[in-house]
Each structure stands twice: as structure tokens, then as C-alpha cells.
PDB file of all heavy atoms in Angstrom:
ATOM      1  N   LEU Z   1       6.854  14.658   5.390  1.00 94.00           N
ATOM      2  CA  LEU Z   1       6.679  14.990   3.970  1.00 94.00           C
ATOM      3  C   LEU Z   1       5.840  13.904   3.328  1.00 94.00           C
ATOM      4  O   LEU Z   1       6.228  12.744   3.319  1.00 94.00           O
ATOM      5  CB  LEU Z   1       8.045  15.069   3.273  1.00 94.00           C
ATOM      6  CG  LEU Z   1       7.989  15.473   1.805  1.00 94.00           C
ATOM      7  CD1 LEU Z   1       7.704  16.965   1.675  1.00 94.00           C
ATOM      8  CD2 LEU Z   1       9.298  15.141   1.122  1.00 94.00           C
ATOM      9  N   ARG Z   2       4.692  14.308   2.803  1.00 96.00           N
ATOM     10  CA  ARG Z   2       3.734  13.334   2.274  1.00 96.00           C
ATOM     11  C   ARG Z   2       3.357  13.669   0.845  1.00 96.00           C
ATOM     12  O   ARG Z   2       3.194  14.830   0.485  1.00 96.00           O
ATOM     13  CB  ARG Z   2       2.483  13.366   3.154  1.00 96.00           C
ATOM     14  CG  ARG Z   2       1.435  12.366   2.791  1.00 96.00           C
ATOM     15  CD  ARG Z   2       0.274  12.424   3.774  1.00 96.00           C
ATOM     16  NE  ARG Z   2      -0.737  11.470   3.407  1.00 96.00           N
ATOM     17  CZ  ARG Z   2      -1.624  11.650   2.434  1.00 96.00           C
ATOM     18  NH1 ARG Z   2      -1.632  12.761   1.744  1.00 96.00           N
ATOM     19  NH2 ARG Z   2      -2.501  10.715   2.146  1.00 96.00           N
ATOM     20  N   VAL Z   3       3.219  12.634   0.029  1.00 97.00           N
ATOM     21  CA  VAL Z   3       2.722  12.787  -1.332  1.00 97.00           C
ATOM     22  C   VAL Z   3       1.196  12.695  -1.260  1.00 97.00           C
ATOM     23  O   VAL Z   3       0.672  11.660  -0.837  1.00 97.00           O
ATOM     24  CB  VAL Z   3       3.287  11.707  -2.278  1.00 97.00           C
ATOM     25  CG1 VAL Z   3       2.652  11.823  -3.653  1.00 97.00           C
ATOM     26  CG2 VAL Z   3       4.800  11.794  -2.363  1.00 97.00           C
ATOM     27  N   PRO Z   4       0.482  13.765  -1.639  1.00 97.00           N
ATOM     28  CA  PRO Z   4      -0.978  13.723  -1.566  1.00 97.00           C
ATOM     29  C   PRO Z   4      -1.543  12.560  -2.390  1.00 97.00           C
ATOM     30  O   PRO Z   4      -1.118  12.313  -3.510  1.00 97.00           O
ATOM     31  CB  PRO Z   4      -1.418  15.068  -2.169  1.00 97.00           C
ATOM     32  CG  PRO Z   4      -0.213  15.938  -2.115  1.00 97.00           C
ATOM     33  CD  PRO Z   4       0.976  15.027  -2.187  1.00 97.00           C
ATOM     34  N   GLY Z   5      -2.487  11.851  -1.794  1.00 97.00           N
ATOM     35  CA  GLY Z   5      -3.123  10.742  -2.487  1.00 97.00           C
ATOM     36  C   GLY Z   5      -2.423   9.408  -2.337  1.00 97.00           C
ATOM     37  O   GLY Z   5      -2.954   8.378  -2.742  1.00 97.00           O
ATOM     38  N   ALA Z   6      -1.240   9.423  -1.740  1.00 98.00           N
ATOM     39  CA  ALA Z   6      -0.508   8.165  -1.548  1.00 98.00           C
ATOM     40  C   ALA Z   6      -1.077   7.406  -0.357  1.00 98.00           C
ATOM     41  O   ALA Z   6      -1.399   7.994   0.672  1.00 98.00           O
ATOM     42  CB  ALA Z   6       0.978   8.431  -1.334  1.00 98.00           C
ATOM     43  N   GLU Z   7      -1.198   6.100  -0.511  1.00 97.00           N
ATOM     44  CA  GLU Z   7      -1.551   5.235   0.609  1.00 97.00           C
ATOM     45  C   GLU Z   7      -0.272   5.005   1.412  1.00 97.00           C
ATOM     46  O   GLU Z   7       0.823   5.060   0.857  1.00 97.00           O
ATOM     47  CB  GLU Z   7      -2.081   3.895   0.101  1.00 97.00           C
ATOM     48  CG  GLU Z   7      -3.304   4.002  -0.788  1.00 97.00           C
ATOM     49  CD  GLU Z   7      -3.645   2.687  -1.475  1.00 97.00           C
ATOM     50  OE1 GLU Z   7      -3.458   1.617  -0.855  1.00 97.00           O
ATOM     51  OE2 GLU Z   7      -4.077   2.741  -2.633  1.00 97.00           O
ATOM     52  N   VAL Z   8      -0.394   4.748   2.699  1.00 96.00           N
ATOM     53  CA  VAL Z   8       0.777   4.519   3.545  1.00 96.00           C
ATOM     54  C   VAL Z   8       0.729   3.095   4.082  1.00 96.00           C
ATOM     55  O   VAL Z   8      -0.245   2.689   4.709  1.00 96.00           O
ATOM     56  CB  VAL Z   8       0.832   5.535   4.706  1.00 96.00           C
ATOM     57  CG1 VAL Z   8       2.041   5.263   5.592  1.00 96.00           C
ATOM     58  CG2 VAL Z   8       0.868   6.959   4.171  1.00 96.00           C
ATOM     59  N   ALA Z   9       1.776   2.342   3.803  1.00 96.00           N
ATOM     60  CA  ALA Z   9       1.928   0.975   4.302  1.00 96.00           C
ATOM     61  C   ALA Z   9       3.418   0.744   4.541  1.00 96.00           C
ATOM     62  O   ALA Z   9       4.143   0.345   3.638  1.00 96.00           O
ATOM     63  CB  ALA Z   9       1.376  -0.035   3.297  1.00 96.00           C
ATOM     64  N   PRO Z  10       3.911   1.065   5.760  1.00 95.00           N
ATOM     65  CA  PRO Z  10       5.341   0.945   6.044  1.00 95.00           C
ATOM     66  C   PRO Z  10       5.887  -0.446   5.710  1.00 95.00           C
ATOM     67  O   PRO Z  10       5.243  -1.462   5.984  1.00 95.00           O
ATOM     68  CB  PRO Z  10       5.439   1.222   7.543  1.00 95.00           C
ATOM     69  CG  PRO Z  10       4.218   2.029   7.849  1.00 95.00           C
ATOM     70  CD  PRO Z  10       3.156   1.511   6.920  1.00 95.00           C
ATOM     71  N   LEU Z  11       7.061  -0.464   5.109  1.00 95.00           N
ATOM     72  CA  LEU Z  11       7.697  -1.721   4.718  1.00 95.00           C
ATOM     73  C   LEU Z  11       7.849  -2.663   5.913  1.00 95.00           C
ATOM     74  O   LEU Z  11       7.706  -3.874   5.766  1.00 95.00           O
ATOM     75  CB  LEU Z  11       9.060  -1.448   4.072  1.00 95.00           C
ATOM     76  CG  LEU Z  11       9.809  -2.654   3.526  1.00 95.00           C
ATOM     77  CD1 LEU Z  11       8.999  -3.354   2.438  1.00 95.00           C
ATOM     78  CD2 LEU Z  11      11.177  -2.238   2.986  1.00 95.00           C
ATOM     79  N   SER Z  12       8.077  -2.091   7.101  1.00 92.00           N
ATOM     80  CA  SER Z  12       8.284  -2.928   8.288  1.00 92.00           C
ATOM     81  C   SER Z  12       7.057  -3.756   8.657  1.00 92.00           C
ATOM     82  O   SER Z  12       7.177  -4.773   9.327  1.00 92.00           O
ATOM     83  CB  SER Z  12       8.693  -2.049   9.478  1.00 92.00           C
ATOM     84  OG  SER Z  12       7.697  -1.083   9.745  1.00 92.00           O
ATOM     85  N   VAL Z  13       5.867  -3.336   8.215  1.00 94.00           N
ATOM     86  CA  VAL Z  13       4.636  -4.069   8.564  1.00 94.00           C
ATOM     87  C   VAL Z  13       3.767  -4.379   7.341  1.00 94.00           C
ATOM     88  O   VAL Z  13       2.644  -4.855   7.490  1.00 94.00           O
ATOM     89  CB  VAL Z  13       3.788  -3.293   9.607  1.00 94.00           C
ATOM     90  CG1 VAL Z  13       4.529  -3.178  10.924  1.00 94.00           C
ATOM     91  CG2 VAL Z  13       3.380  -1.933   9.086  1.00 94.00           C
ATOM     92  N   ILE Z  14       4.283  -4.118   6.153  1.00 96.00           N
ATOM     93  CA  ILE Z  14       3.456  -4.242   4.948  1.00 96.00           C
ATOM     94  C   ILE Z  14       2.928  -5.661   4.737  1.00 96.00           C
ATOM     95  O   ILE Z  14       1.854  -5.857   4.192  1.00 96.00           O
ATOM     96  CB  ILE Z  14       4.193  -3.737   3.695  1.00 96.00           C
ATOM     97  CG1 ILE Z  14       3.173  -3.431   2.584  1.00 96.00           C
ATOM     98  CG2 ILE Z  14       5.275  -4.717   3.243  1.00 96.00           C
ATOM     99  CD1 ILE Z  14       3.719  -2.607   1.449  1.00 96.00           C
ATOM    100  N   ARG Z  15       3.662  -6.628   5.205  1.00 93.00           N
ATOM    101  CA  ARG Z  15       3.242  -8.027   5.066  1.00 93.00           C
ATOM    102  C   ARG Z  15       1.876  -8.247   5.716  1.00 93.00           C
ATOM    103  O   ARG Z  15       1.100  -9.075   5.289  1.00 93.00           O
ATOM    104  CB  ARG Z  15       4.304  -8.921   5.702  1.00 93.00           C
ATOM    105  CG  ARG Z  15       4.026 -10.380   5.682  1.00 93.00           C
ATOM    106  CD  ARG Z  15       5.127 -11.207   6.360  1.00 93.00           C
ATOM    107  NE  ARG Z  15       6.485 -10.818   6.074  1.00 93.00           N
ATOM    108  CZ  ARG Z  15       7.194 -11.212   5.007  1.00 93.00           C
ATOM    109  NH1 ARG Z  15       6.641 -12.006   4.121  1.00 93.00           N
ATOM    110  NH2 ARG Z  15       8.437 -10.822   4.845  1.00 93.00           N
ATOM    111  N   TRP Z  16       1.573  -7.485   6.769  1.00 93.00           N
ATOM    112  CA  TRP Z  16       0.322  -7.653   7.507  1.00 93.00           C
ATOM    113  C   TRP Z  16      -0.700  -6.557   7.201  1.00 93.00           C
ATOM    114  O   TRP Z  16      -1.782  -6.555   7.771  1.00 93.00           O
ATOM    115  CB  TRP Z  16       0.600  -7.697   9.011  1.00 93.00           C
ATOM    116  CG  TRP Z  16       1.552  -8.793   9.334  1.00 93.00           C
ATOM    117  CD1 TRP Z  16       1.267 -10.129   9.378  1.00 93.00           C
ATOM    118  CD2 TRP Z  16       2.939  -8.675   9.607  1.00 93.00           C
ATOM    119  NE1 TRP Z  16       2.405 -10.851   9.678  1.00 93.00           N
ATOM    120  CE2 TRP Z  16       3.454  -9.973   9.824  1.00 93.00           C
ATOM    121  CE3 TRP Z  16       3.822  -7.610   9.694  1.00 93.00           C
ATOM    122  CZ2 TRP Z  16       4.777 -10.224  10.124  1.00 93.00           C
ATOM    123  CZ3 TRP Z  16       5.145  -7.855   9.989  1.00 93.00           C
ATOM    124  CH2 TRP Z  16       5.615  -9.150  10.197  1.00 93.00           C
ATOM    125  N   ALA Z  17      -0.352  -5.641   6.308  1.00 90.00           N
ATOM    126  CA  ALA Z  17      -1.287  -4.556   5.970  1.00 90.00           C
ATOM    127  C   ALA Z  17      -2.442  -5.130   5.161  1.00 90.00           C
ATOM    128  O   ALA Z  17      -2.261  -6.006   4.321  1.00 90.00           O
ATOM    129  CB  ALA Z  17      -0.564  -3.474   5.173  1.00 90.00           C
ATOM    130  N   SER Z  18      -3.620  -4.626   5.428  1.00 89.00           N
ATOM    131  CA  SER Z  18      -4.782  -5.102   4.673  1.00 89.00           C
ATOM    132  C   SER Z  18      -5.058  -4.093   3.561  1.00 89.00           C
ATOM    133  O   SER Z  18      -5.901  -3.225   3.695  1.00 89.00           O
ATOM    134  CB  SER Z  18      -5.996  -5.259   5.586  1.00 89.00           C
ATOM    135  OG  SER Z  18      -6.280  -4.038   6.225  1.00 89.00           O
ATOM    136  N   MET Z  19      -4.284  -4.198   2.514  1.00 91.00           N
ATOM    137  CA  MET Z  19      -4.494  -3.286   1.393  1.00 91.00           C
ATOM    138  C   MET Z  19      -4.975  -4.074   0.182  1.00 91.00           C
ATOM    139  O   MET Z  19      -4.593  -5.227  -0.006  1.00 91.00           O
ATOM    140  CB  MET Z  19      -3.232  -2.489   1.077  1.00 91.00           C
ATOM    141  CG  MET Z  19      -2.018  -3.252   0.689  1.00 91.00           C
ATOM    142  SD  MET Z  19      -0.655  -2.108   0.403  1.00 91.00           S
ATOM    143  CE  MET Z  19      -0.049  -2.769  -1.106  1.00 91.00           C
ATOM    144  N   PRO Z  20      -5.834  -3.457  -0.599  1.00 95.00           N
ATOM    145  CA  PRO Z  20      -6.356  -4.142  -1.783  1.00 95.00           C
ATOM    146  C   PRO Z  20      -5.234  -4.517  -2.754  1.00 95.00           C
ATOM    147  O   PRO Z  20      -4.232  -3.808  -2.867  1.00 95.00           O
ATOM    148  CB  PRO Z  20      -7.287  -3.112  -2.413  1.00 95.00           C
ATOM    149  CG  PRO Z  20      -7.492  -2.053  -1.388  1.00 95.00           C
ATOM    150  CD  PRO Z  20      -6.340  -2.109  -0.455  1.00 95.00           C
ATOM    151  N   LYS Z  21      -5.406  -5.608  -3.444  1.00 97.00           N
ATOM    152  CA  LYS Z  21      -4.425  -6.067  -4.430  1.00 97.00           C
ATOM    153  C   LYS Z  21      -4.434  -5.154  -5.650  1.00 97.00           C
ATOM    154  O   LYS Z  21      -5.419  -4.472  -5.929  1.00 97.00           O
ATOM    155  CB  LYS Z  21      -4.736  -7.507  -4.859  1.00 97.00           C
ATOM    156  CG  LYS Z  21      -4.713  -8.511  -3.730  1.00 97.00           C
ATOM    157  CD  LYS Z  21      -3.325  -8.716  -3.190  1.00 97.00           C
ATOM    158  CE  LYS Z  21      -3.298  -9.801  -2.124  1.00 97.00           C
ATOM    159  NZ  LYS Z  21      -2.084  -9.799  -1.359  1.00 97.00           N
ATOM    160  N   ALA Z  22      -3.334  -5.160  -6.357  1.00 97.00           N
ATOM    161  CA  ALA Z  22      -3.235  -4.399  -7.608  1.00 97.00           C
ATOM    162  C   ALA Z  22      -4.162  -5.020  -8.644  1.00 97.00           C
ATOM    163  O   ALA Z  22      -4.411  -6.227  -8.621  1.00 97.00           O
ATOM    164  CB  ALA Z  22      -1.801  -4.417  -8.119  1.00 97.00           C
ATOM    165  N   GLU Z  23      -4.671  -4.189  -9.517  1.00 96.00           N
ATOM    166  CA  GLU Z  23      -5.522  -4.662 -10.603  1.00 96.00           C
ATOM    167  C   GLU Z  23      -4.770  -4.494 -11.912  1.00 96.00           C
ATOM    168  O   GLU Z  23      -3.887  -3.654 -12.023  1.00 96.00           O
ATOM    169  CB  GLU Z  23      -6.827  -3.853 -10.630  1.00 96.00           C
ATOM    170  CG  GLU Z  23      -7.633  -3.983  -9.352  1.00 96.00           C
ATOM    171  CD  GLU Z  23      -8.810  -3.011  -9.312  1.00 96.00           C
ATOM    172  OE1 GLU Z  23      -9.174  -2.467 -10.374  1.00 96.00           O
ATOM    173  OE2 GLU Z  23      -9.349  -2.804  -8.213  1.00 96.00           O
ATOM    174  N   GLU Z  24      -5.136  -5.282 -12.893  1.00 95.00           N
ATOM    175  CA  GLU Z  24      -4.461  -5.238 -14.194  1.00 95.00           C
ATOM    176  C   GLU Z  24      -4.488  -3.829 -14.784  1.00 95.00           C
ATOM    177  O   GLU Z  24      -3.506  -3.357 -15.330  1.00 95.00           O
ATOM    178  CB  GLU Z  24      -5.109  -6.244 -15.153  1.00 95.00           C
ATOM    179  CG  GLU Z  24      -4.225  -6.656 -16.300  1.00 95.00           C
ATOM    180  CD  GLU Z  24      -2.874  -7.242 -15.863  1.00 95.00           C
ATOM    181  OE1 GLU Z  24      -2.831  -8.113 -14.975  1.00 95.00           O
ATOM    182  OE2 GLU Z  24      -1.851  -6.817 -16.432  1.00 95.00           O
ATOM    183  N   ASN Z  25      -5.620  -3.143 -14.631  1.00 95.00           N
ATOM    184  CA  ASN Z  25      -5.742  -1.799 -15.198  1.00 95.00           C
ATOM    185  C   ASN Z  25      -5.407  -0.697 -14.189  1.00 95.00           C
ATOM    186  O   ASN Z  25      -5.541   0.485 -14.497  1.00 95.00           O
ATOM    187  CB  ASN Z  25      -7.157  -1.584 -15.751  1.00 95.00           C
ATOM    188  CG  ASN Z  25      -8.221  -1.729 -14.684  1.00 95.00           C
ATOM    189  OD1 ASN Z  25      -7.969  -2.265 -13.607  1.00 95.00           O
ATOM    190  ND2 ASN Z  25      -9.413  -1.260 -14.995  1.00 95.00           N
ATOM    191  N   LYS Z  26      -4.994  -1.077 -12.974  1.00 97.00           N
ATOM    192  CA  LYS Z  26      -4.617  -0.093 -11.951  1.00 97.00           C
ATOM    193  C   LYS Z  26      -3.497  -0.669 -11.087  1.00 97.00           C
ATOM    194  O   LYS Z  26      -3.716  -1.147  -9.980  1.00 97.00           O
ATOM    195  CB  LYS Z  26      -5.824   0.286 -11.100  1.00 97.00           C
ATOM    196  CG  LYS Z  26      -5.603   1.541 -10.280  1.00 97.00           C
ATOM    197  CD  LYS Z  26      -6.909   2.014  -9.667  1.00 97.00           C
ATOM    198  CE  LYS Z  26      -6.698   3.342  -8.978  1.00 97.00           C
ATOM    199  NZ  LYS Z  26      -7.960   3.839  -8.413  1.00 97.00           N
TER     200      LYS Z  26
END
């Protein structure tokens, strides 16, 4: 079951995920 448009970064490995940082306006 997936939410369309959601990025996936499992909590078990999120520390090492290369995802962009949050922005003030996003």
C-alpha cells in the first residue's frame, strides 16, 4: 500500500539515505 508521490526511506536505514534536506518553505 503506497501513498502516491511519497518518497520511501525506511526508518531502519534512513540514517544512511541520501535524501535532500527539508527547506523552510517545503
Side-chain angles (χ1 to χ4, degrees):
L1 183 75
R2 183 177 179 282
V3 175
E7 301 169 36
V8 179
L11 184 60
S12 59
V13 295
I14 199 165
R15 179 181 318 275
W16 303 284
S18 57
M19 61 181 226
K21 300 292 184 195
E23 299 171 16
E24 201 56 48
N25 60 344
K26 195 169 186 178

